[in-house]
Each structure stands twice: as structure tokens, then as C-alpha cells.
């Protein structure tokens, strides 16, 4: 087996693992850990800002990024409004809205599958087609509406985590 194939298999296993963890976290009760939520919020904010900064120079990307951020914030607000809290053994637990979490997960998976397919399709084309090199075609794929779909996820989780942290402060 080639090293490149091993890397793709390991990457695929990691992605499936993270998706299964995301689905499990969306469906069941989770203990409210303020430290974890704060760390996730900072990391997702930084990565989201990187995605946003990439699209600042193209009007289509900027527009899709702004729409994605707005949609993510609206979904987070709705999800937070329907989140249930429960105290067990002195610890707070929460259960997020399954439908909203499912929509965000499906959008992320759809974008991921589309990007993998698109990269695969682009690598199969001859490098001289349409006068573009392979690196130019791969660079061309990073813009457009797909970054807005990714920013829905980042905006949703950052906004949702901030709302949960604020609610935790009010409960304390």
C-alpha cells in the first residue's frame, strides 16, 4: 500500500471518528464544562477568522461568508432557545436541539463530500485543460459559496458556546 493511500485512510478514520463524536454530542445529554466550551470557542473563532479572512478580497466569497455567519448565528440562537438544562449530582447538563445540530452537521458533511469529490475530479483532469494548471484549478475551488457553508458551522458553534457560557454564569 502506498504511503499516500495510508494517509488518506487514516484521515478518513479520523474524520469518521470526529463526526461520530459530533453526532453523539448533538443527540444526548452533555455535562456543561465551561473550560472545554471556552477552549472550543477560542479555537473555532480563530479558525473561523482564518476562513473569513481568505474571502475578504472576493465579493462572492465575502458575501457568502457574511450570509454563512448570519445563518450560523440565527441557528445558534434558535438552538440555544430550545436547549434543555438539568442539574444532576451538583453538575449542570444540557441537551441541544437535535434538529438544528443535525442540520449543521449535514451541511458540514455535504460540503466535505463535495470538496473531496471536487478535488478528486480536478486531479483527474489533464493539467492543460482550459489553460489552467492544476494548482490554479485547486486555488479556484477555495472561493465561492463553499466557505460560507463552512462558516455556518463555525458561527453556529461559537455563538452557541458563548450563549451556553453566559447561561452558566447566570446559573452560578
Amino acid at each position: 500500500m502506498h504511503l499516500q493511500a495510508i494517509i488518506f485512510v487514516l484521515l478518513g478514520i479520523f474524520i469518521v471518528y470526529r463526526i461520530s463524536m459530533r453526532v453523539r454530542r448533538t443527540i444526548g445529554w452533555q455535562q456543561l464544562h465551561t473550560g472545554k466550551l471556552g477552549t472550543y470557542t477560542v479555537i473555532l473563532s480563530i479558525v473561523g477568522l482564518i476562513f473569513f479572512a481568505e474571502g475578504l478580497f472576493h465579493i462572492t466569497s465575502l458575501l457568502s461568508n457574511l450570509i454563512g455567519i448570519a445563518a450560523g448565528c440565527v441557528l445558534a440562537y434558535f438552538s440555544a432557545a430550545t436547549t434543555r438544562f438539568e442539574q444532576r449530582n451538583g453538575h449542570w447538563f444540557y441537551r441541544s436541539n437535535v434538529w438544528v445540530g443535525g442540520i449543521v452537521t449535514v451541511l458540514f458533511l455535504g460540503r466535505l463530500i463535495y470538496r473531496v469529490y471536487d478535488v478528486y475530479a480536478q486531479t483527474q483532469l489533464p493539467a492543460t485543460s482550459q489553460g489552467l494548471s492544476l494548482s490554479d484549478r485547486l486555488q479556484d475551488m477555495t472561493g465561492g459559496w463553499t466557505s460560507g457553508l463552512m462558516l455556518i458551522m463555525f458561527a453556529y458553534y461559537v455563538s452557541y458556546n458563548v450563549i451556553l457560557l453566559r447561561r452558566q454564569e447566570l446559573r452560578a
Side-chain angles (χ1 to χ4, degrees), residues 121-143:
Q122 290 294 326
T123 58
Q124 299 303 311
L125 292 175
T128 59
S129 70
Q130 300 175 357
L132 297 174
S133 69
L134 178 60
S135 63
D136 290 336
R137 289 191 313 239
L138 292 175
Q139 181 66 27
D140 191 41
M141 290 186 317
T142 60

Side-chain angles (χ1 to χ4, degrees), residues 4-5 9 19 46 75 85 91 124 144 149 156 168:
Q4 186 178 13
V9 168
I19 290 169
I46 291 169
L75 287 171
F85 291 91
H91 299 287
Q124 299 303 311
L149 289 174
Y156 170 78
Q168 175 62 21

Side-chain angles (χ1 to χ4, degrees), residues 51 54 61 111 114-123 125 132 134-147:
F51 272 91
E54 273 187 40
S61 294
R111 182 198 180 276
Y114 170 75
R115 299 292 291 162
V116 168
Y117 169 76
D118 207 16
V119 167
Y120 175 77
Q122 290 294 326
T123 58
L125 292 175
L132 297 174
L134 178 60
S135 63
D136 290 336
R137 289 191 313 239
L138 292 175
Q139 181 66 27
D140 191 41
M141 290 186 317
T142 60
W145 293 94
T146 58
S147 63

Side-chain angles (χ1 to χ4, degrees), residues 38-144:
T39 303
Y40 288 146
T41 302
V42 169
I43 292 170
L44 290 174
S45 296
I46 291 169
V47 175
L49 284 173
I50 292 169
F51 272 91
F52 183 76
E54 273 187 40
L56 285 177
F57 303 107
H58 303 290
I59 190 69
T60 305
S61 294
L62 179 62
L63 183 62
S64 74
N65 290 348
L66 292 174
I67 291 171
I69 290 170
C73 290
V74 167
L75 287 171
Y77 179 78
F78 176 75
S79 183
T82 58
T83 295
R84 302 291 172 235
F85 291 91
E86 188 176 290
Q87 191 171 16
R88 301 178 194 167
N89 300 326
H91 299 287
W92 282 100
F93 288 79
Y94 69 97
R95 184 176 67 201
S96 62
N97 186 306
V98 175
W99 290 103
V100 175
I103 288 169
V104 172
T105 302
V106 166
L107 285 172
F108 172 73
L109 286 176
R111 182 198 180 276
L112 181 68
I113 291 168
Y114 170 75
R115 299 292 291 162
V116 168
Y117 169 76
D118 207 16
V119 167
Y120 175 77
Q122 290 294 326
T123 58
Q124 299 303 311
L125 292 175
T128 59
S129 70
Q130 300 175 357
L132 297 174
S133 69
L134 178 60
S135 63
D136 290 336
R137 289 191 313 239
L138 292 175
Q139 181 66 27
D140 191 41
M141 290 186 317
T142 60

Side-chain angles (χ1 to χ4, degrees), residues 25 28-41 80 83-96 157 159-172:
R25 191 169 164 215
W29 287 93
Q30 300 295 314
Q31 187 172 353
L32 189 59
H33 294 286
T34 56
K36 272 186 177 181
L37 284 178
T39 303
Y40 288 146
T41 302
T83 295
R84 302 291 172 235
F85 291 91
E86 188 176 290
Q87 191 171 16
R88 301 178 194 167
N89 300 326
H91 299 287
W92 282 100
F93 288 79
Y94 69 97
R95 184 176 67 201
S96 62
Y157 284 115
S159 301
Y160 184 73
N161 289 348
V162 167
I163 293 169
L164 286 182
L165 289 170
R166 298 211 50 160
R167 285 192 179 173
Q168 175 62 21
E169 289 175 3
L170 294 176
R171 293 184 190 284

